Each structure stands twice: as structure tokens, then as C-alpha cells.
Amino acid sequence: MDAEDEKRPIKAKIVSTDMLVECGARLRQGELVAFPTETVYGLGCNALDESAIIKVFEAKERPLTDPLISHVANSEDAYNLWNASAESLEGKALRVICEKFWPGPLTVVAQAAPHVPALLMANTGFCACRAPQHPVSIALINAAKVPLAAPSANKFGHVSPTRSQHVWDDLLHEDVWIVDTVQNDVDVCGVGVESSVAKLEMSGLDSSVAGKITLLRQGAVCIEDIAACLKEAGLGDSFVVETRTKKTSDETVATVAPGQSIRHYSPDIPSFILSQSLCESSIGLSPEDITALSKCIIVDFGAKLQAWREHAVAYRDLSATGDSSQATKSVFETLRWAERVEGADRIIFPEISENDKTADSLALALKDRLTRAASGVVIDSLR
């Protein structure tokens, strides 16, 4: 925290889950409430109140080109935010996907209904919706009686929050209530990374298929899961299913889904990905390498850089066994820990191969988050 921040008044307030009814009323009044989900903490507001939506963008210092995801208690509430009729092929596909994956860590993007605020969608005309499975999220949405627009509850571009303390650290000067949980909140966000995002778009043209479903952000649900779901429902031949998660965008360009910027989820100190070739040669170190490592924090995965541990300022392995589920649960907490370590001038991660047959959906999500934390910079040398 810099000197200017220290002069600003503290406006945030920690509240318990016993106050969810009051939190719901606060949301209906156009104010902000941060709450836990199974992915990360969200900064919630009434998704249909444009003045409340503006408060979210201002509190996060988020560009208006980055849309917000609307959180709903059930799929029927999402259908009210989309423009597809239940009888249409689009409506049938949406229903099949929602029934299969909701509640859970999948965001679905589809053509918006006319009453959805354009500001919510970065003026793209597509509305992103998700039904979370965390019991506090569900209880809060029900208490609010409105859909909740809720991006991650942090300053834009910073490491996502998975604990109430993380939210406090980023937003203590903002007028926001932060819902804490009675239990130790280390495991509140059980998935630990943001939801997968899939966009459904109808072709509107004469073609062999009626539409396309594109995975825009990696998460716990993979594109193969979605394709299998459509095939099982007899809709597999009607849609092209593809992944486009490598595409990154300029912050001045509006997108239909959040988390598309190359620099995202970033710690406050420079971070870098070590190339696979450098990781594979991790045993032999020159004196210059050892000097460089003396100012590095190593955030490892699968014990790839364990041989360098004694030379680093600090070392943590997200999962020594390469368990992606264990790693994603702790990745954001570990990045926030790393930026507080004294005497370090950089954080380094091993490159995660997406061609590995063991790279499941969460491994790909982990790779995505670490890549964006490092602004996509891969280095071949420690010097």
C-alpha cells in the first residue's frame, strides 16, 4: 500500500453469513457485496441496475470493454437474460448445457434479451451467465432476488481473490461489504480459478451446421465435455465446437467474455515463465544462474524446479505430484504470498505443456492463469 492509499478512509466492511438477508437488501439498493463462489470471490451488484454496474467498474478500476458475468440461482433466471426461445435450436442447446453443467463452474455466453443493460455486456449484445454451486452464493442470490453481476473481487489485473482477506487487501477503500465464512476460508473457493467460458452463437446463414460453441476461457469444464453433452442430446451435428482461448485482446477492444487480456491475474512484482528446455536443464547451474536465483521466488508445479529450491529466496510447489486440482486451489493464494516475500525481484514458474496427455481441463486452466500472470513472457535463461 502506497502513501496515498494510507490517507484514504477505509470503507469496506466484513460481514458474516448471518447477514445475507441484509446483504440481499443492500444489493437491491444498488450497492456492492463481495461473496465467495466455488471459483473465486466475486464483487456483486444488481445485474439489471446500470448505476450499480458502474460502481463495480469504478471499484475494480476495470475498463468498460471487459464485460461482467451475471450470476443466477437457476437456469430459468438465465433464460430470462438471453434472447433465445425455448423451442429454437439455440434455446434447446442452452437448456441442455445448463442442465448438464449447472450449478457449477461454467459460464455460458449467448445473445442477450433486450432489457439487459448494454454496459454489463461491453455493448457486445451477448450476455454471460453462470449458476454457482457454492451455498453462500446461492443463498445470497436468493436473498437479493435479482441476478448478480460479479467479476472477481479485486483490482483489475491483479491476482484473483480466494479469501475474504484478499478482497479486503484490494478493496478496503471501496464501499463494499465482504461476506466472510465461519469456517477457515482457505478452502472456500474449492475450484480456485475462474469458470470456463463458452459462447453459443447461431450462424444465421445457410450452412451444414446451425451454430458454433467456442470455449473462450479455460476452467474446470473443457470443450470435450461440452461437445459430449451436445452429442448425447442429439445436437452434436448442429454445432461446431472449438477452443479459442489463446486469443488475447487489447483492453481498448470490447470482448464478450472476461479474462481475455494477456496481462491478467498478475502479482505486483515481475513474473516469468521458464521455457520447457530451461526447466529440463534445471540440475546444472552456473554461478551466474545461482546469483540470479538468489532474488527469485519459485512457484513450482510437479517438482520440476525442486533442484533449484535451496538457491531461491522462497519456494512453493502448487502440487509436487502434478495434481491440477490441488494446484488450482492454491495458485492465487500462492501468487499473493509470493508478492509479499522480501528480497525478491521476480517470480518464476515452469512452463506447463498443453500437449501432455495428462493435461486435463484444470491443468490447462492453470497454464492459462500462470501465462497471463507472466504477461505471456517465456524466458530461456535466468540471466
Side-chain angles (χ1 to χ4, degrees):
M1 184 183 299
D2 58 32
E4 286 300 315
D5 279 338
E6 290 178 356
K7 295 177 183 178
R8 297 172 60 196
I10 293 175
K11 297 181 181 179
K13 177 183 177 181
I14 299 287
V15 299
S16 74
T17 53
D18 294 335
M19 293 186 65
L20 291 183
V21 172
E22 292 86 347
C23 288
R26 177 178 168 83
L27 287 161
R28 287 194 301 277
Q29 293 163 4
E31 303 300 335
L32 309 184
V33 176
F35 61 96
T37 77
E38 71 275 19
T39 57
V40 300
Y41 256 83
L43 180 61
C45 76
N46 182 347
L48 302 178
D49 182 342
E50 189 163 296
S51 63
I53 295 169
I54 291 173
K55 290 179 182 179
V56 168
F57 280 101
E58 290 177 343
K60 283 180 60 68
E61 301 173 14
R62 180 187 184 98
L64 297 177
T65 52
D66 209 14
L68 308 183
I69 295 171
S70 294
H71 293 62
V72 295
N74 53 66
S75 55
E76 293 301 324
D77 291 341
Y79 302 146
N80 290 332
L81 299 176
W82 291 324
N83 204 34
S85 66
E87 299 77 22
S88 68
L89 185 59
E90 180 182 14
K92 290 176 182 178
L94 287 170
R95 189 168 294 275
V96 164
I97 292 170
C98 292
E99 287 179 356
K100 175 69 173 180
F101 298 106
W102 285 5
L106 174 67
T107 293
V108 181
V109 180
Q111 196 78 40
H115 68 280
V116 177
L119 184 64
L120 181 78
M121 308 175 288
N123 292 296
T124 62
F126 284 85
C127 182
C129 295
R130 181 169 93 83
Q133 63 188 173
H134 195 287
V136 173
S137 304
I138 297 169
L140 180 62
I141 297 168
N142 287 330
K145 301 176 183 177
V146 292
L148 300 183
S152 56
N154 59 332
K155 290 297 183 181
F156 181 75
H158 193 215
V159 181
S160 298
T162 52
R163 301 188 186 188
S164 57
Q165 182 62 50
H166 299 164
V167 183
W168 178 268
D169 291 342
D170 274 25
L171 302 180
L172 76 164
H173 299 298
E174 308 300 334
D175 184 11
V176 54
W177 285 12
I178 304 168
V179 178
D180 198 5
T181 51
V182 175
Q183 74 269 30
N184 184 335
D185 68 356
V186 170
D187 294 318
V188 161
C189 302
V191 176
V193 293
E194 292 82 354
S195 61
S196 305
V197 177
K199 177 188 177 186
L200 189 154
E201 188 173 15
M202 304 309 290
S203 65
L205 301 172
D206 292 334
S207 66
S208 59
V209 293
K212 179 170 66 175
I213 296 177
T214 307
L215 188 70
L216 298 175
R217 184 172 73 184
Q218 299 283 7
V221 178
C222 66
I223 195 66
E224 290 80 8
D225 295 332
I226 297 171
C229 166
L230 291 171
K231 183 177 180 181
E232 185 178 331
L235 300 175
D237 293 336
S238 299
F239 292 89
V240 172
V241 181
E242 63 182 23
T243 299
R244 203 179 68 196
T245 56
K246 289 184 179 180
K247 181 177 175 61
T248 58
S249 64
D250 189 300
E251 290 176 9
T252 63
V253 178
T255 62
V256 297
Q260 305 297 292
S261 300
I262 187 58
R263 186 185 185 279
H264 216 63
Y265 321 113
S266 298
D268 289 337
I269 64 173
S271 302
F272 302 92
I273 300 166
L274 303 187
S275 67
Q276 290 187 48
S277 60
L278 183 55
C279 293
E280 289 167 1
S281 62
S282 65
I283 296 177
L285 290 173
S286 68
E288 292 80 9
D289 290 331
I290 293 173
T291 298
L293 278 173
S294 69
K295 294 183 179 180
C296 288
I297 300 162
I298 298 175
V299 175
D300 205 355
F301 177 61
K304 293 178 181 178
L305 304 176
Q306 190 174 33
W308 293 356
R309 179 173 188 166
E310 63 181 292
H311 304 296
V313 177
Y315 174 97
R316 276 194 188 179
D317 198 325
L318 298 173
S319 172
T321 61
D323 182 332
S324 60
S325 175
Q326 180 185 13
T328 55
K329 285 180 182 179
S330 63
V331 61
F332 290 143
E333 159 61 22
T334 299
L335 292 179
R336 284 181 175 261
W337 158 80
E339 65 184 7
R340 298 192 305 269
V341 174
E342 295 184 1
D345 63 8
R346 65 170 67 178
I347 306 170
I348 55 176
F349 327 116
E351 187 170 18
I352 299 172
S353 172
E354 61 186 1
N355 298 320
D356 191 332
K357 293 181 180 179
T358 63
D360 58 15
S361 58
L362 283 177
L364 295 176
L366 179 66
K367 176 182 175 66
D368 174 80
R369 301 320 188 267
L370 293 179
T371 297
R372 296 180 194 274
S375 300
V377 178
V378 181
I379 58 176
D380 292 311
S381 172
L382 290 171
R383 302 188 299 279

